[in-house]
Amino acid sequence: MIRSSKELGTFVRDQRKRQALTQLDIAGMGNTGNRFIVELESGKPTLQLQKVLDVLDLLGLEVVVRPKTAKGL
């Protein structure tokens, strides 16, 4: 479960590395700048959501949104 932009950035970086891709590889495949990938992996909280979703898709990842479960149940 990811609860912050920092956690998302770390997860994206780990997934990219597992796939033996560089930040430049992802930037080129995603038609975005390398700076965006660097900022995403650094956890910048103000990035454009659609671009983030596009990068996740490139890495074979998806976002699932669901209601929180009650704690202790």
Side-chain angles (χ1 to χ4, degrees):
M1 193 162 319
I2 293 175
R3 297 198 182 271
S4 71
S5 58
K6 190 78 168 164
E7 289 175 357
L8 179 61
T10 299
F11 186 77
V12 167
R13 182 181 57 244
D14 292 346
Q15 291 299 308
R16 174 183 58 77
K17 287 182 175 183
R18 279 190 188 112
Q19 295 178 38
L21 297 168
T22 67
Q23 290 175 330
L24 285 172
D25 292 335
I26 296 296
M29 290 168 29
N31 215 13
T32 188
N34 189 59
R35 180 177 175 174
F36 177 81
I37 305 303
V38 170
E39 290 175 343
L40 171 60
E41 291 186 1
S42 297
K44 184 177 180 183
T46 57
L47 295 175
Q48 291 180 24
L49 178 59
Q50 187 59 56
K51 284 186 174 183
V52 173
L53 294 172
D54 291 345
V55 170
L56 294 177
D57 185 56
L58 284 172
L59 292 170
L61 303 170
E62 62 184 11
V63 175
V64 176
V65 178
R66 62 182 175 160
K68 286 184 176 181
T69 56
K71 291 185 179 178
L73 295 181

